[in-house]
Amino acid sequence: MNPVIEKILTTLREMPLSRKIALGILIMALVAGFTTMFIWANKTEFRVAFSGLTKEDAALVVEKLKESNTPYRLTGDGTTIMVPEAVVYDVRLSTARDGIPKGGHVGFEIFDKTEFGTTDFVQNINKTRAIQGELARTITAFDEVKTARVMIVMPKDSVFVEEVKKPSASILLELNSDLDKEKVTAIAHLVASAIQDLTPKDVTIVDTAGRILFEGKSEEEEAKIKAENLADAQYQHKIRFEENLTKRIQTMLERIVGQDKAIVRVTSEMDFSEDDMNEEIFDPFERGGEFVRSRKNRAEKVVGLSEEVPIPSTVNPIVGDENLQGKQNKELANKSDDTFNYEISKRVREVRKPMAVLTRLSVAAVVDGKYEIKADETGNQGKTYVPRSAEEMKQFQDIVVKAMGYNEERSDQVSVECFPFASISEIEAEPGLKGLEKIQEQYGRLIANLLIVVALFLLVIRPIVKTVKEIKTTMEREALPSPEDLALLEDEKKPPAFIEMDAKQQKEYLEMMTEDQREEFLKKMNPEEKVSYLMNMPVNEKAKYYAEKDLLKTVNILKGWISEGEEK
């Protein structure tokens, strides 16, 4: 077993029970704390991708997520699906591409599969179902609407005009929050515009709480609603006019006296009554002359008669005087008739009053004075308010009068005064936390992970490494021999002197050296060591040694060896 581990186990065995329990609790607390911090810092944030789904749509979405290996969670009895925050929009787009979720309604995809032999009755029912489903899907696009059901009644066609009936529609909404009146009206007009011959009057909208959100209005109710809308439009027009004029005057004054040193308020009175006038003017002398449209002349000449005036009959129905009947008439008088028709000037004018006529305008403006730095009796300096002069106030008033479009005939009013303002710059603004919140959102997890690593190193790894090093050092010290043992070991390990070695030991000792070390060692030998070395040297090596050192002596030795051999 590793000595370090053995030492740790020995230390643990020697600990009292109380210290063992305390150490175990501390280790468990550290492990639990660091585990919790690590999980919290690295946990995946889930966000709602779909909510309020039907079981069918939820099953389709889950199947799609499994195919793409996307982690998910089901909440709200399986009607809400949560996915990692980083992929929530990708999931929505990918599912929308496949037409999921369908909202539990059947749309025009019902006609994707055509079946032969389908009757007209079934086709009409499918068409109505498709329209209802598409309208329901469209209505659920509102954030306030959770689910929607649309029921449409399509009357049968009739050949008699008197018996023609209009379609009607009813809508049931399950709301997440209350709908504004404008949005409810928009839903009614949306449904009415999608169905032929359907008007908003025949649309009824209710919610699951039993409240009637929209129903067809009578003419009186429509007129009342129209009047309310008109009143609201008139009020908005008045407010916009006042705000625009206020902004124009205030910005002009602030450029002169300084930012936030002018206050302007405008009140207007307007006439919103409607007045349309149509007039026709006939003026024969407008063009300075007469123009003849037509002329008719008629004249009779004198006729001389020598015979009796005939009596009127059915054949000659000439009307004559009864006194002249049967008598002679010598002559008839001259008679003429001249008729003139003249052109008459005509001007048609239609006068319509504008939406609003300004009847009176009142403007009140307040400007701040000046501030001078003066010293009091104690020598402390401070700001002293100094009101503006009458000439300056007169100039300000003239500027406001011209900017507002003053009209004396309307009895307009203008008031410009000077008062000390509360110093806005001295009001401490609340420190903004946007920068810190932004850093926390972007780098919070990274900083938390770094802190966890640093804390883990300082509180766990470093103490463990330090303890292991101390144990190892202690064991090494214990394993080291005492000074007496070291002296004995040194005596035992100390090699014998070169002079005390035999020939084999000397040879091994020299072979452990390099050539340079060996030559240096041989040069430094004392005479005793050199004699011992030469005596223990073999004959052939001794001959080689002398041959290298002294050639003459080597020759003499060889001659002696040869002569000894010859004698033998």
Side-chain angles (χ1 to χ4, degrees):
M1 184 181 293
N2 194 331
V4 177
I5 298 175
E6 186 176 357
K7 182 64 177 178
I8 294 173
L9 295 176
T10 304
T11 305
L12 291 175
R13 293 192 193 97
E14 295 175 355
M15 279 185 182
L17 181 60
S18 58
R19 292 190 65 183
K20 290 181 180 179
I21 295 173
L23 181 62
I25 294 173
L26 178 61
I27 293 173
M28 291 176 63
L30 287 174
V31 171
F34 281 111
T35 303
T36 303
M37 291 179 63
F38 184 78
I39 293 174
W40 172 80
N42 296 279
K43 69 177 180 179
T44 303
E45 292 290 340
F46 279 80
R47 186 178 173 185
V48 176
F50 303 98
S51 61
L53 297 174
T54 60
K55 294 181 180 180
E56 294 79 6
D57 288 338
L60 293 175
V61 174
V62 169
E63 183 179 357
K64 184 70 177 178
L65 294 176
K66 288 181 179 179
E67 291 178 358
S68 59
N69 295 325
T70 302
Y72 65 91
R73 291 180 182 175
L74 294 176
T75 59
D77 296 334
T79 60
T80 302
I81 298 178
M82 302 177 69
V83 296
E85 187 176 5
V87 298
V88 61
Y89 297 108
D90 295 337
V91 169
R92 290 178 180 176
L93 291 175
S94 61
T95 53
R97 180 185 59 192
D98 298 333
I100 303 172
K102 298 181 179 180
H105 302 285
V106 178
F108 283 107
E109 65 272 7
I110 194 173
F111 295 105
D112 292 343
K113 296 180 180 179
T114 304
E115 296 181 0
F116 294 100
T118 305
T119 62
D120 292 339
F121 177 76
V122 175
Q123 290 284 16
N124 292 332
I125 292 177
N126 290 338
K127 180 182 178 181
T128 304
R129 289 179 61 193
I131 295 174
Q132 293 177 166
E134 294 294 337
L135 289 174
R137 292 177 184 176
T138 305
I139 294 171
T140 52
F142 289 88
D143 295 335
E144 295 85 354
V145 179
K146 185 177 181 181
T147 59
R149 289 186 63 85
V150 179
M151 284 72 73
I152 301 174
V153 177
M154 301 293 292
K156 294 182 179 180
D157 297 333
S158 176
V159 296
F160 301 101
V161 178
E162 295 82 0
E163 296 181 2
V164 173
K165 295 181 180 180
K166 294 183 178 181
S168 61
S170 59
I171 304 170
L172 177 65
L173 302 179
E174 184 179 358
L175 302 176
N176 294 319
S177 59
D178 290 339
L179 271 172
D180 298 335
K181 290 184 178 180
E182 292 81 4
K183 293 185 178 181
V184 175
T185 306
I187 292 174
H189 284 78
L190 174 70
V191 175
S193 301
I195 302 172
Q196 185 179 1
D197 297 333
L198 180 62
T199 60
K201 295 181 180 180
D202 299 320
V203 178
T204 302
I205 303 176
V206 298
D207 62 358
T208 52
R211 296 178 299 175
I212 299 177
L213 304 179
F214 184 89
E215 61 178 340
K217 302 292 190 301
S218 61
E219 294 183 358
E220 295 180 357
E221 292 175 339
E222 290 289 343
K224 184 178 179 181
I225 294 174
K226 185 177 181 181
E228 292 177 355
N229 295 335
L230 180 61
D232 184 67
Q234 293 173 353
Y235 175 75
Q236 294 296 332
H237 177 77
K238 180 175 179 294
I239 293 298
R240 284 196 299 268
F241 174 79
E242 294 175 352
E243 289 179 351
N244 182 34
L245 188 58
T246 300
K247 184 178 179 181
R248 291 169 55 192
I249 298 174
Q250 184 165 348
T251 52
M252 182 175 59
L253 292 176
E254 286 182 347
R255 292 291 298 272
I256 300 173
V257 299
Q259 186 70 24
D260 299 326
K261 290 186 177 295
I263 302 175
V264 179
R265 295 293 182 268
V266 176
T267 303
S268 62
E269 296 179 6
M270 295 183 176
D271 182 12
F272 292 98
S273 60
E274 296 181 356
D275 188 7
D276 296 340
M277 180 177 63
N278 296 325
E279 62 178 359
E280 294 183 2
I281 300 175
F282 298 89
D283 188 359
F285 304 104
E286 180 183 7
R287 301 182 183 179
E290 299 177 354
F291 297 90
V292 178
R293 177 191 295 178
S294 62
R295 181 178 179 180
K296 183 178 181 181
N297 293 327
R298 182 180 178 185
E300 293 181 0
K301 296 181 179 180
V302 176
V303 179
L305 300 176
S306 57
E307 298 178 354
E308 295 182 356
V309 177
I311 299 173
S313 65
T314 57
V315 177
N316 187 14
I318 299 176
V319 179
D321 193 351
E322 294 179 355
N323 298 324
L324 297 177
Q325 292 180 3
K327 298 180 179 180
Q328 293 182 351
N329 190 1
K330 298 295 183 180
E331 61 182 9
L332 292 176
N334 236 353
K335 193 174 183 181
S336 64
D337 187 6
D338 198 356
T339 304
F340 287 88
N341 293 324
Y342 294 94
E343 289 284 357
I344 300 176
S345 176
K346 177 181 178 182
R347 183 170 66 250
V348 179
R349 182 174 62 179
E350 182 178 355
V351 179
R352 179 169 295 178
K353 191 176 179 181
M355 177 181 179
V357 177
L358 185 64
T359 58
R360 190 176 183 184
L361 190 62
S362 300
V363 178
V366 181
V367 295
D368 195 6
K370 301 178 181 178
Y371 296 89
E372 297 180 356
I373 299 176
K374 296 182 179 180
D376 55 9
E377 297 177 355
T378 60
N380 296 327
Q381 294 183 349
K383 290 183 179 181
T384 303
Y385 172 74
V386 178
R388 298 185 182 272
S389 62
E391 295 179 357
E392 290 179 320
M393 298 305 298
K394 181 66 169 59
Q395 292 177 350
F396 289 148
Q397 185 170 0
D398 292 341
I399 291 173
V400 174
V401 165
K402 293 179 180 180
M404 65 177 282
Y406 180 83
N407 189 348
E408 188 176 358
E409 295 179 358
R410 293 196 307 246
S411 300
D412 292 350
Q413 295 180 351
V414 181
S415 176
V416 181
E417 302 294 339
C418 180
F419 290 100
F421 281 19
S423 181
I424 298 176
S425 60
E426 296 178 358
I427 301 175
E428 296 182 358
E430 296 182 359
L433 299 177
K434 293 184 178 179
L436 182 60
E437 291 178 353
K438 187 176 180 180
I439 293 173
Q440 182 179 359
E441 181 179 356
Q442 293 182 353
Y443 306 105
R445 293 180 179 274
L446 179 61
I447 294 173
N449 287 329
L450 291 176
L451 292 176
I452 290 173
V453 172
V454 172
L456 185 64
F457 177 77
L458 294 176
L459 300 177
V460 178
I461 299 176
R462 186 179 177 186
I464 291 175
V465 173
K466 187 176 180 180
T467 303
V468 171
K469 285 184 177 180
E470 291 177 354
I471 294 172
K472 189 175 181 180
T473 304
T474 303
M475 294 180 65
E476 289 177 353
R477 289 177 180 176
E478 292 177 356
L480 290 176
S482 62
E484 294 80 5
D485 296 335
L486 287 174
L488 294 174
L489 290 173
E490 289 177 357
D491 294 339
E492 293 177 357
K493 292 182 179 180
K494 187 176 180 180
F498 187 78
I499 196 173
E500 298 176 356
M501 296 181 183
D502 55 10
K504 185 178 180 180
Q505 291 177 344
Q506 288 180 353
K507 184 179 180 182
E508 292 177 354
Y509 183 75
L510 292 174
E511 287 178 352
M512 292 174 62
M513 302 180 184
T514 61
E515 292 292 336
D516 296 337
Q517 291 177 351
R518 188 182 301 113
E519 291 179 0
E520 187 69 23
F521 179 74
L522 294 175
K523 289 179 182 179
K524 293 181 180 180
M525 278 184 180
N526 54 30
E528 294 180 356
E529 292 178 344
K530 189 174 291 186
V531 171
S532 175
Y533 172 68
L534 293 174
M535 289 179 63
N536 294 328
M537 187 179 297
V539 177
N540 54 351
E541 291 184 3
K542 188 183 292 186
K544 184 180 179 182
Y545 173 78
Y546 282 114
E548 293 176 355
K549 296 293 182 182
D550 192 353
L551 182 60
L552 294 176
K553 191 175 182 178
T554 305
V555 172
N556 293 331
I557 292 172
L558 290 174
K559 287 180 179 181
W561 288 351
I562 293 171
S563 61
E564 289 179 1
E566 290 177 352
E567 290 179 358
K568 290 180 180 181

